[in-house]
Amino acid sequence: MIRNVLLLAGGVSRRFYPFSDKLLWKFFDKPFLLHQIELFSRHFERIIVVVSHNVKEKISRELPKNVI
């Protein structure tokens, strides 16, 4: 069984222009990234999210405590 999952979320979101940070864009009152994390947390013990330094602060406020 696979225990860990790695989410790559370090992109610049250029194709999402004129908006920014597509992973923080809200769908049903939650950021898109949080929907992905909830889906993966049903199947994996640990979720590691790799982000760029310019969105780290914004994303870390939205993530649950069990996400690194």
Side-chain angles (χ1 to χ4, degrees):
M1 177 177 165
I2 300 172
R3 300 168 119 188
N4 302 318
V5 66
L6 180 68
L7 287 177
L8 301 177
V12 183
S13 302
R14 255 181 261 144
R15 292 178 291 180
F16 202 61
Y17 178 82
F19 307 107
S20 62
D21 302 326
K22 65 183 165 201
L23 296 172
L24 297 177
W25 192 257
K26 296 210 178 204
F27 294 99
F28 302 107
D29 289 330
K30 284 192 278 189
F32 180 69
L33 181 62
L34 193 54
H35 284 284
Q36 295 294 321
I37 290 170
E38 288 174 357
L39 176 72
F40 285 128
S41 66
R42 296 179 205 156
H43 306 285
F44 301 101
E45 288 181 18
R46 185 165 58 166
I47 301 167
I48 302 165
V49 181
V50 179
V51 298
S52 59
H53 68 279
N54 58 343
V55 295
K56 181 180 176 183
E57 292 293 321
K58 295 178 200 173
I59 289 178
S60 64
R61 288 186 290 232
E62 302 284 342
L63 298 179
K65 300 298 179 202
N66 67 333
V67 177
I68 298 173

